[in-house]
Amino acid sequence: MTRLTTAARSLALATAALLAFAAATPAGAQQEPRAPRDFVALRSVDPTIIQEMRYPYEHNFTGGPVDGYDQPLCVLTRPAARALHRAQTKLLRQGYSLKVYDCYRPQRAVDNFVRWADDPQALAMKAEFYPRVDKSRLFTDGYIAEKSGHSRGSTMDLTLVKLPALPTRPYHPGQPLAPCYAPKAQRFPDNSIDMGTGFDCFDTLAHTDDPRIEGVQRTNRDFLRSSLTAVGFVNLPEEWWHFTYQPEVFPDRYFDFPVAWRSVAGHH
């Protein structure tokens, strides 16, 4: 009788743990300690692509490291990484390199963004990333959402750098901030070519085909887009830096393994 009661109690505890796990995991998200074998570290496919991962550090719209980014690493599905390699091979011959800011994004990072957006007091980076947008409108205007295509593994944020690449000056928390749409000489000194705004600029000027973007800035955006569409990527019209490889390996699944070498160790 005691043995049966103990077994029943263990079953009840296990059931409760499963229910708690399900409640904490958004519908459709696959919470795993490691990535499926379809994921690779971009560096193992193409070590020449520059990686300036923003979310493990303070220089992003939240002002701090984001949940789930255990290491500054670009992780992607294998077909997306190989397509970037094909684009990079051609760009290197033209004197340019791709530079990625963000790749696969865990669901826990997206949840971090949602919590940040719901906090009206968290305004430390407003002067750079969303100077003209009231934070209460970030959901309504589509800048923040509870799901992200990044969590499916075939979407990345990236730009172009003219070679030889100059180093990007480190960001120091608390330093004076300039609007992400200011002239390039006034913006944070990114080493990329001038796209008209910085990365993660919550402003309509970041729309890829915004008519106010002209001249060299227009040429640069078109160059980035044509270089990537030639190998199978599709641009998000609201963000010049945002591209998704098609067809996606996981069009309907959202993952939550951490961004870390251990997540993709042994995947080639």
Side-chain angles (χ1 to χ4, degrees):
M1 182 70 176
T2 302
R3 186 177 305 163
L4 180 61
T5 302
T6 301
R9 185 181 297 113
S10 298
L11 178 61
L13 289 171
T15 301
L18 285 171
L19 289 172
F21 174 85
T25 305
Q30 306 295 313
Q31 191 170 44
E32 302 176 271
R34 280 175 53 83
R37 293 201 62 83
D38 305 87
F39 283 83
V40 294
L42 176 61
R43 193 162 285 134
S44 68
V45 176
D46 192 321
T48 71
I49 295 174
I50 300 168
Q51 298 191 26
E52 187 182 310
M53 313 308 290
R54 289 290 183 88
Y55 297 137
Y57 305 109
E58 291 85 0
H59 189 216
N60 62 69
F61 61 85
T62 73
V66 176
D67 291 351
Y69 289 91
D70 293 1
Q71 292 175 304
L73 183 70
C74 174
V75 172
L76 290 169
T77 55
R78 189 175 286 104
R82 288 175 174 170
L84 280 189
H85 170 65
R86 293 195 298 273
Q88 176 76 345
T89 299
K90 183 175 181 181
L91 284 164
L92 289 175
R93 292 196 297 265
Q94 298 172 285
Y96 293 87
S97 174
L98 292 168
K99 180 173 79 169
V100 290
Y101 295 111
D102 190 40
C103 299
Y104 157 75
R105 181 182 303 166
Q107 180 62 45
R108 69 193 75 178
V110 179
D111 297 342
N112 190 160
F113 292 165
V114 171
R115 291 194 303 274
W116 168 84
D118 282 334
D119 181 358
Q121 304 305 313
L123 299 169
M125 304 301 285
K126 179 175 174 59
E128 178 174 352
F129 291 96
Y130 53 108
R132 294 192 286 212
V133 178
D134 190 283
K135 194 176 181 187
S136 65
R137 294 196 54 83
L138 291 179
F139 283 106
T140 303
D141 292 349
Y143 294 111
I144 300 291
E146 295 181 354
K147 291 284 188 180
S148 170
H150 283 271
S151 302
R152 301 195 295 265
S154 295
T155 294
M156 71 288 307
D157 298 329
L158 73 176
T159 188
L160 289 171
V161 175
K162 187 83 171 73
L163 297 175
L166 300 173
T168 294
R169 179 176 61 75
Y171 168 78
H172 301 289
Q175 72 178 52
L177 301 175
C180 54
Y181 48 75
K184 183 171 174 59
Q186 298 175 25
R187 300 197 300 265
F188 180 79
D190 192 300
N191 64 356
S192 64
I193 61 177
D194 188 4
M195 297 291 186
T197 77
F199 164 62
D200 260 357
C201 188
F202 295 176
D203 195 274
T204 54
L205 278 170
H207 293 187
T208 308
D209 290 318
D210 189 286
R212 293 168 292 177
I213 300 298
E214 301 175 319
V216 172
Q217 297 171 342
R218 164 59 48 207
T219 299
N220 290 343
R221 288 191 186 188
D222 290 345
F223 181 32
L224 175 64
R225 179 167 52 184
S226 63
S227 298
L228 292 173
T229 56
V231 294
F233 288 94
V234 176
N235 173 243
L236 179 70
E238 290 78 19
E239 299 176 349
W240 61 257
W241 55 82
H242 179 119
F243 289 84
T244 299
Y245 181 72
Q246 299 286 357
E248 292 186 68
V249 180
F250 300 106
D252 303 308
R253 294 178 65 184
Y254 296 80
F255 294 92
D256 197 26
F257 58 85
V259 177
W261 279 107
R262 67 182 182 277
S263 297
V264 292
H267 298 190
H268 302 291

